[in-house]
Amino acid sequence: MHLKKLGLAAVLLAVSTTVLAKQGEVCSSKPVLKDGTLTNDTVFECKTAGSLTIPQLYAQGWRVISVLPQATMGTDPNTGLPQASFAWTVVVERD
């Protein structure tokens, strides 16, 4: 009888773990040269969710967990002067 209870507890634990599992992924915007402001129109490329803005991510059940700005320095090929590009990375999850 004790073994049956232990087996049942293991099955229930396995089922509850899969039910509580969340899905998450990292999404990035394309770099832009001038104004790198994050807006509702910023499009993020996500492996699972696709190409979506933050409002569209929320409409599909995703939730933004973290927002990270990124700046990259390069050289303008026309002038040889330093040039910065800006992008955003978000970490999203859904139940």
Side-chain angles (χ1 to χ4, degrees):
M1 184 68 175
H2 184 64
L3 212 46
K4 281 186 178 181
K5 287 181 182 178
L6 188 57
L8 179 61
V11 169
L12 291 175
L13 181 61
V15 169
S16 66
T17 302
T18 56
V19 170
L20 296 176
K22 293 186 178 188
Q23 182 180 4
E25 66 181 270
V26 175
C27 308
S28 297
S29 69
K30 292 186 179 188
V32 293
L33 294 177
K34 293 185 180 183
D35 183 13
T37 303
L38 177 64
T39 69
N40 282 338
D41 297 323
T42 303
V43 177
F44 292 90
E45 300 293 327
C46 308
K47 185 176 181 179
T48 304
S51 298
L52 300 168
T53 63
I54 289 176
Q56 291 169 331
L57 284 162
Y58 272 88
Q60 290 192 6
W62 294 91
R63 186 175 57 206
V64 176
I65 301 304
S66 179
V67 178
L68 306 162
Q70 295 179 331
T72 306
M73 289 302 295
T75 304
D76 184 326
N78 297 323
T79 64
L81 296 173
Q83 183 177 43
S85 62
F86 303 92
W88 292 94
T89 298
V90 293
V91 178
V92 296
E93 73 174 11
R94 73 174 170 185
D95 295 330

